[in-house]
Amino acid sequence: MHVLIVEDQDYLAEIVSHTLRQIDLTSTICLNGEDAIVYMEKNSLPDLIVLDISMPGMSGWDFLEIIKGYEETKLIPVIITTAHGDAANRLIGKLRDVDRYIVKPYKPQEIQEAVKEALKL
């Protein structure tokens, strides 16, 4: 299974990628929402997306709105990783059908658990 990591902080993206390799998953890193859209247009769709919310340019919420608007991508599970643990952002995530909302800083095990649950592993 393949996971798309959309995270503007490359060191965090690398940590997530390494964490996923530990549970035998491959991943691709995109450092912004625009690149992630292009990646998805040119490659096979991921089985799961790990998405940061606060990114320059296209926010994670904007990215999510775009992919949820297309029949072929609307059912891809999404795990949000963000520093914004406030109730308003959590509510937005719930209303947009995200599979899990994880607040930074988080432990690698939290990502692994969320991914396994979302992918039903």
Side-chain angles (χ1 to χ4, degrees):
M1 300 198 116
H2 189 76
V3 179
L4 178 60
I5 301 166
V6 187
E7 166 66 64
D8 65 316
Q9 296 181 32
D10 57 350
Y11 72 95
L12 285 178
E14 289 295 338
I15 290 170
V16 173
S17 180
H18 176 74
T19 299
L20 295 176
R21 280 194 303 275
Q22 291 178 331
I23 55 172
D24 296 322
L25 296 174
T26 62
S27 62
T28 298
I29 296 170
C30 291
L31 298 176
N32 59 61
E34 294 89 346
D35 287 351
I37 295 291
V38 170
Y39 173 83
M40 290 172 56
E41 289 172 347
K42 293 182 177 183
N43 298 279
S44 59
L45 295 175
D47 298 295
L48 172 76
I49 299 169
V50 176
L51 177 64
D52 183 26
I53 293 304
S54 297
M55 296 183 289
M58 180 187 296
S59 75
W61 294 133
D62 293 338
F63 173 83
L64 189 61
E65 187 174 328
I66 290 169
I67 66 164
K68 293 293 182 180
Y70 290 98
E71 202 63 36
E72 56 274 1
T73 55
K74 73 179 184 181
L75 296 178
I76 297 172
V78 176
I79 296 171
I80 299 293
T81 60
T82 183
H84 302 287
D86 59 282
N89 273 298
R90 287 179 182 271
L91 179 60
I92 292 169
K94 188 172 187 158
L95 293 172
R96 295 191 181 175
D97 296 323
V98 300
D99 290 76
R100 185 75 78 89
Y101 192 98
I102 300 175
V103 179
K104 297 174 186 175
Y106 48 78
K107 294 183 172 142
Q109 295 82 5
E110 287 180 83
I111 293 289
Q112 290 176 343
E113 178 185 306
V115 167
K116 286 178 181 178
E117 186 178 307
L119 293 174
K120 298 172 178 45
L121 299 176

